[in-house]
Amino acid sequence: MTQPAETAADPSLKRYERQISYPAWGRESQEKLSRSTALVVGVGALGSVIANTLARAGVGTLRIVDRDFLEWNNLQRQVLYTEEDVRNHLPKAVVAERHLREINSEITIEAIVADVDYGNITQLCEGVDVIVDGTDNFEIRFLLNDASLKFGIPWVYGGCLGAEGQTMTILPGKTPCLRCIISDAPPPGTTPTCDTAGIMASIINVIASIQSLEAMKIMAGQLDQVSGTLDVIDLWYNRMRPVKLGDSAQSKTCPACGQGDYEWLRGERGGQSAILCGRNAVQLSFSQGEPVDLQSLAKQLEAVGKVTVNPFLLRLTVDEYTLTLFPDRRCIVSGTDDPVQARAIHARYIGS
């Protein structure tokens, strides 16, 4: 087979020749990608597909951040990992880095095991050209949104549940931001999670693939090709719906992109944690909001563990953990004294 003329003069680009052969991409975009840095926050379901795709595509530096460890039920949809990885009880970021280096040894990979919050997000964003959302909760997404706007870094939102997913690309100063369409994080327990509502792996791959290509367009400087819609896809019912967002001029009332109030970035919003001495438990406290409807939440959680509820608290026991949730949104996670793990468990079963 004849080698494409564009890659013949540069052996280092040979592995990307099929990508370069696509006329809308070409060699110039590939070279820009190789000089770019992507921050992928979360390398679970969405993030593992995104990181895998960007590494194979030849992004210059891939910075991956995740707070969680691998479990058996991750393997159904988290494409970077194997059964041996679960048996080794390693953090996702560490395992992802190892596999990504085996996939592409020519790029720089920075793996960070951390709970992303207002204290470290500034450092994580240093030198970054795009932020890609691989998270599972709105607290971190609103933090990413604030950081994107504050530092002028484009980011790509994505989320999935059941067989439905949605994605949206935010270009600071040019497009509406996440808070233009979702004004606030939903109270804990008011929205289902993958553990309570289930998730089909196929929708993960679709949404993450869209996110990856959007990020590549940004890094290649092809901003005119970036999607200007919130794209909603339901694979079960074969429905695809783009939602028009308008432009940033219509977002003047938005507290984030319209008024420059970055309350999540300042640490005024979001959860706080405290280790409860001698109890092997962590208390998670959240910013003020609507009280939790304990009875409704109890019905959602019956499928995942043992639930008891009264007017004052809800208690969920699942595996070796017990989560005690109060109407004021406070939650005590028993079975660990690690705040990072406690927040991950809370996000898994209760949500944002």
Coordinates of all heavy atoms in Angstrom, one line a residue, residues 181-232:
I181 N -27.4 26.5 31.4 CA -28.4 25.6 31.1 C -28.8 24.8 32.3 O -29.9 24.2 32.4 CB -28.0 24.6 30.0 CG1 -26.8 23.8 30.3 CG2 -27.8 25.3 28.7 CD1 -26.5 22.7 29.4
I182 N -27.9 24.7 33.3 CA -28.2 24.0 34.6 C -27.8 25.0 35.7 O -26.6 25.2 35.9 CB -27.4 22.7 34.7 CG1 -27.6 21.8 33.5 CG2 -27.8 22.0 36.0 CD1 -26.8 20.5 33.5
S183 N -28.7 25.7 36.3 CA -28.5 26.8 37.1 C -27.7 26.4 38.4 O -27.0 27.2 39.0 CB -29.7 27.6 37.5 OG -30.6 26.7 38.2
D184 N -28.0 25.2 38.9 CA -27.4 24.8 40.2 C -27.2 23.3 40.2 O -28.0 22.6 39.5 CB -28.2 25.3 41.4 CG -27.3 25.5 42.6 OD1 -26.2 25.1 42.6 OD2 -27.8 26.2 43.5
A185 N -26.4 22.8 41.1 CA -26.2 21.4 41.3 C -27.5 20.8 42.0 O -28.0 21.4 42.9 CB -25.0 21.1 42.2
P186 N -28.0 19.7 41.5 CA -29.2 19.2 42.1 C -28.9 18.7 43.5 O -27.8 18.2 43.8 CB -29.6 18.0 41.2 CG -28.3 17.7 40.5 CD -27.6 18.9 40.3
P187 N -29.8 18.8 44.4 CA -29.6 18.4 45.8 C -29.3 16.9 45.8 O -29.8 16.1 45.0 CB -30.9 18.7 46.5 CG -31.6 19.7 45.7 CD -31.2 19.5 44.3
P188 N -28.5 16.4 46.8 CA -28.2 15.0 46.9 C -29.5 14.1 46.9 O -30.4 14.4 47.6 CB -27.4 14.8 48.2 CG -26.8 16.2 48.4 CD -27.8 17.2 47.9
G189 N -29.5 13.1 46.1 CA -30.6 12.2 46.1 C -31.7 12.5 45.2 O -32.7 11.7 45.0
T190 N -31.7 13.7 44.6 CA -32.8 14.1 43.7 C -32.7 13.6 42.3 O -33.6 13.6 41.5 CB -33.0 15.6 43.7 OG1 -31.8 16.2 43.2 CG2 -33.3 16.1 45.1
T191 N -31.5 13.2 41.9 CA -31.3 12.6 40.6 C -30.7 11.2 40.7 O -29.9 11.0 41.6 CB -30.3 13.5 39.8 OG1 -29.1 13.7 40.5 CG2 -30.9 14.9 39.5
P192 N -31.0 10.3 39.8 CA -30.5 8.9 39.9 C -29.0 8.9 39.5 O -28.5 9.8 38.9 CB -31.3 8.2 38.9 CG -31.8 9.2 37.9 CD -32.0 10.5 38.7
T193 N -28.3 7.9 40.0 CA -26.9 7.6 39.6 C -26.9 6.3 38.8 O -27.8 5.6 38.7 CB -26.1 7.5 40.9 OG1 -26.4 6.3 41.6 CG2 -26.3 8.7 41.8
C194 N -25.7 6.0 38.3 CA -25.5 4.8 37.6 C -25.8 3.6 38.4 O -26.2 2.5 37.9 CB -24.1 4.7 37.0 SG -23.8 5.9 35.7
D195 N -25.5 3.7 39.7 CA -25.7 2.6 40.6 C -27.2 2.4 40.9 O -27.6 1.2 41.3 CB -24.9 2.8 41.9 CG -23.5 2.5 41.7 OD1 -22.8 3.4 41.3 OD2 -23.0 1.4 42.0
T196 N -28.0 3.4 40.9 CA -29.4 3.3 41.2 C -30.3 3.1 39.9 O -31.4 2.6 40.0 CB -29.9 4.5 42.0 OG1 -29.7 5.7 41.2 CG2 -29.2 4.6 43.3
A197 N -29.8 3.6 38.8 CA -30.6 3.6 37.5 C -30.0 2.7 36.4 O -30.6 2.5 35.4 CB -30.8 5.0 37.0
G198 N -28.7 2.3 36.6 CA -28.1 1.5 35.6 C -27.4 2.3 34.5 O -27.7 3.5 34.4
I199 N -26.6 1.6 33.7 CA -25.9 2.3 32.6 C -25.5 1.3 31.6 O -25.1 0.2 31.9 CB -24.6 3.0 33.2 CG1 -23.9 3.8 32.0 CG2 -23.6 2.1 33.8 CD1 -24.6 5.1 31.6
M200 N -25.8 1.6 30.3 CA -25.4 0.8 29.2 C -24.0 1.3 28.6 O -23.9 2.5 28.4 CB -26.4 0.8 28.1 CG -27.8 0.4 28.6 SD -27.8 -1.3 29.2 CE -27.6 -2.2 27.6
A201 N -23.1 0.4 28.4 CA -21.8 0.8 28.0 C -21.8 1.5 26.7 O -20.9 2.3 26.4 CB -20.8 -0.4 28.0
S202 N -22.7 1.1 25.8 CA -22.7 1.7 24.4 C -22.8 3.2 24.5 O -22.2 3.9 23.7 CB -23.8 1.1 23.6 OG -23.7 -0.3 23.5
I203 N -23.7 3.8 25.3 CA -23.9 5.2 25.4 C -22.6 5.9 25.9 O -22.3 7.0 25.5 CB -25.1 5.6 26.2 CG1 -25.4 7.1 26.0 CG2 -24.9 5.3 27.7 CD1 -25.8 7.5 24.6
I204 N -21.9 5.2 26.8 CA -20.6 5.8 27.2 C -19.6 6.0 26.1 O -19.0 7.0 25.9 CB -19.9 4.8 28.3 CG1 -20.8 4.7 29.5 CG2 -18.5 5.3 28.6 CD1 -20.8 6.0 30.4
N205 N -19.5 5.0 25.2 CA -18.6 5.0 24.1 C -19.0 6.1 23.1 O -18.1 6.8 22.5 CB -18.5 3.7 23.4 CG -17.8 2.7 24.2 OD1 -16.6 2.6 24.2 ND2 -18.5 1.8 24.9
V206 N -20.3 6.3 22.9 CA -20.8 7.3 22.0 C -20.5 8.7 22.5 O -19.9 9.6 21.8 CB -22.3 7.2 21.7 CG1 -22.8 8.4 20.9 CG2 -22.5 5.9 20.9
I207 N -20.9 9.0 23.7 CA -20.7 10.3 24.3 C -19.2 10.7 24.4 O -18.7 11.8 24.1 CB -21.4 10.5 25.6 CG1 -22.9 10.4 25.4 CG2 -21.0 11.8 26.3 CD1 -23.5 11.4 24.5
A208 N -18.4 9.7 24.9 CA -17.0 9.9 25.1 C -16.3 10.1 23.8 O -15.3 10.9 23.7 CB -16.3 8.8 25.8
S209 N -16.7 9.5 22.7 CA -16.1 9.7 21.4 C -16.4 11.1 20.9 O -15.5 11.7 20.3 CB -16.7 8.6 20.4 OG -16.3 7.3 20.8
I210 N -17.6 11.6 21.1 CA -17.9 12.9 20.7 C -17.1 13.9 21.5 O -16.5 14.9 20.9 CB -19.4 13.2 20.9 CG1 -20.3 12.4 20.0 CG2 -19.7 14.7 20.7 CD1 -21.8 12.5 20.3
Q211 N -17.0 13.7 22.8 CA -16.2 14.6 23.6 C -14.7 14.6 23.1 O -14.1 15.7 23.1 CB -16.2 14.1 25.1 CG -17.5 14.4 25.8 CD -17.4 13.9 27.2 OE1 -17.7 12.7 27.5 NE2 -17.0 14.8 28.1
S212 N -14.2 13.5 22.8 CA -12.8 13.3 22.4 C -12.5 14.1 21.1 O -11.5 14.9 21.0 CB -12.4 11.9 22.2 OG -12.6 11.1 23.3
L213 N -13.4 14.0 20.1 CA -13.2 14.7 18.9 C -13.4 16.2 19.1 O -12.7 17.0 18.4 CB -14.1 14.2 17.8 CG -13.9 14.7 16.4 CD1 -12.4 14.5 16.0 CD2 -14.7 14.0 15.4
E214 N -14.3 16.6 19.9 CA -14.5 18.0 20.2 C -13.2 18.6 20.8 O -12.7 19.7 20.5 CB -15.7 18.3 21.2 CG -17.0 18.1 20.6 CD -17.4 19.2 19.6 OE1 -17.7 20.3 20.0 OE2 -17.3 18.9 18.4
A215 N -12.6 17.8 21.7 CA -11.3 18.3 22.4 C -10.2 18.3 21.3 O -9.4 19.3 21.3 CB -11.0 17.3 23.5
M216 N -10.2 17.4 20.4 CA -9.2 17.4 19.3 C -9.4 18.6 18.4 O -8.4 19.3 18.0 CB -9.2 16.1 18.5 CG -8.8 14.9 19.3 SD -9.1 13.3 18.4 CE -8.1 13.6 17.0
K217 N -10.6 19.0 18.1 CA -10.8 20.2 17.3 C -10.3 21.4 18.0 O -9.7 22.3 17.4 CB -12.3 20.4 17.0 CG -13.0 19.3 16.2 CD -14.5 19.5 16.1 CE -15.3 18.4 15.5 NZ -16.7 18.6 15.5
I218 N -10.5 21.5 19.3 CA -10.1 22.7 20.1 C -8.6 22.7 20.1 O -8.0 23.8 19.8 CB -10.6 22.6 21.5 CG1 -12.1 22.8 21.5 CG2 -9.9 23.6 22.4 CD1 -12.8 22.4 22.8
M219 N -7.9 21.6 20.3 CA -6.4 21.6 20.4 C -5.8 21.9 19.0 O -4.7 22.4 18.9 CB -5.9 20.3 20.9 CG -6.2 20.1 22.4 SD -5.5 18.6 23.2 CE -6.8 17.4 22.7
A220 N -6.5 21.5 17.9 CA -6.0 21.8 16.6 C -6.4 23.2 16.1 O -6.0 23.6 15.0 CB -6.6 20.8 15.6
G221 N -7.1 24.0 17.0 CA -7.4 25.3 16.6 C -8.6 25.4 15.6 O -8.8 26.5 15.1
Q222 N -9.3 24.4 15.5 CA -10.5 24.4 14.5 C -11.8 24.7 15.3 O -12.7 23.9 15.3 CB -10.6 23.0 13.8 CG -9.4 22.8 12.9 CD -9.7 21.8 11.8 OE1 -10.8 21.9 11.2 NE2 -8.8 20.9 11.5
L223 N -11.8 25.8 15.9 CA -12.9 26.2 16.8 C -14.2 26.4 16.0 O -15.3 26.3 16.6 CB -12.6 27.5 17.6 CG -11.4 27.4 18.5 CD1 -11.2 28.7 19.3 CD2 -11.5 26.2 19.4
D224 N -14.1 26.7 14.7 CA -15.3 26.9 13.9 C -16.0 25.6 13.7 O -17.2 25.6 13.2 CB -15.0 27.6 12.6 CG -13.9 26.8 11.8 OD1 -13.1 26.1 12.4 OD2 -13.9 26.9 10.5
Q225 N -15.4 24.5 13.9 CA -16.0 23.2 13.7 C -16.6 22.6 15.0 O -17.1 21.5 15.0 CB -15.0 22.2 13.1 CG -14.4 22.6 11.8 CD -15.5 22.7 10.7 OE1 -16.4 21.9 10.7 NE2 -15.4 23.8 9.9
V226 N -16.4 23.3 16.1 CA -16.9 22.8 17.4 C -18.4 22.9 17.5 O -19.0 23.8 16.9 CB -16.3 23.7 18.6 CG1 -17.0 23.4 19.9 CG2 -14.8 23.3 18.7
S227 N -19.1 21.9 18.1 CA -20.5 21.9 18.2 C -21.0 23.1 18.9 O -20.5 23.4 20.0 CB -21.0 20.6 18.8 OG -22.4 20.6 19.1
G228 N -22.1 23.7 18.4 CA -22.7 24.8 19.1 C -24.0 24.4 19.8 O -24.8 25.3 20.1
T229 N -24.2 23.1 20.0 CA -25.5 22.6 20.6 C -25.2 21.7 21.8 O -24.1 21.2 22.0 CB -26.3 21.9 19.6 OG1 -25.5 20.7 19.1 CG2 -26.7 22.8 18.4
L230 N -26.2 21.6 22.7 CA -26.2 20.5 23.7 C -26.8 19.3 23.0 O -27.9 19.3 22.5 CB -27.1 20.9 24.8 CG -27.4 19.8 25.9 CD1 -26.1 19.4 26.6 CD2 -28.5 20.3 26.8
D231 N -26.0 18.3 22.8 CA -26.4 17.1 22.0 C -26.9 16.0 23.0 O -26.1 15.6 23.8 CB -25.2 16.6 21.2 CG -24.8 17.6 20.1 OD1 -25.7 18.1 19.4 OD2 -23.6 17.9 20.0
V232 N -28.1 15.6 22.8 CA -28.7 14.6 23.7 C -29.0 13.4 22.8 O -29.7 13.4 21.8 CB -30.1 15.1 24.3 CG1 -30.7 14.1 25.2 CG2 -29.8 16.4 25.0

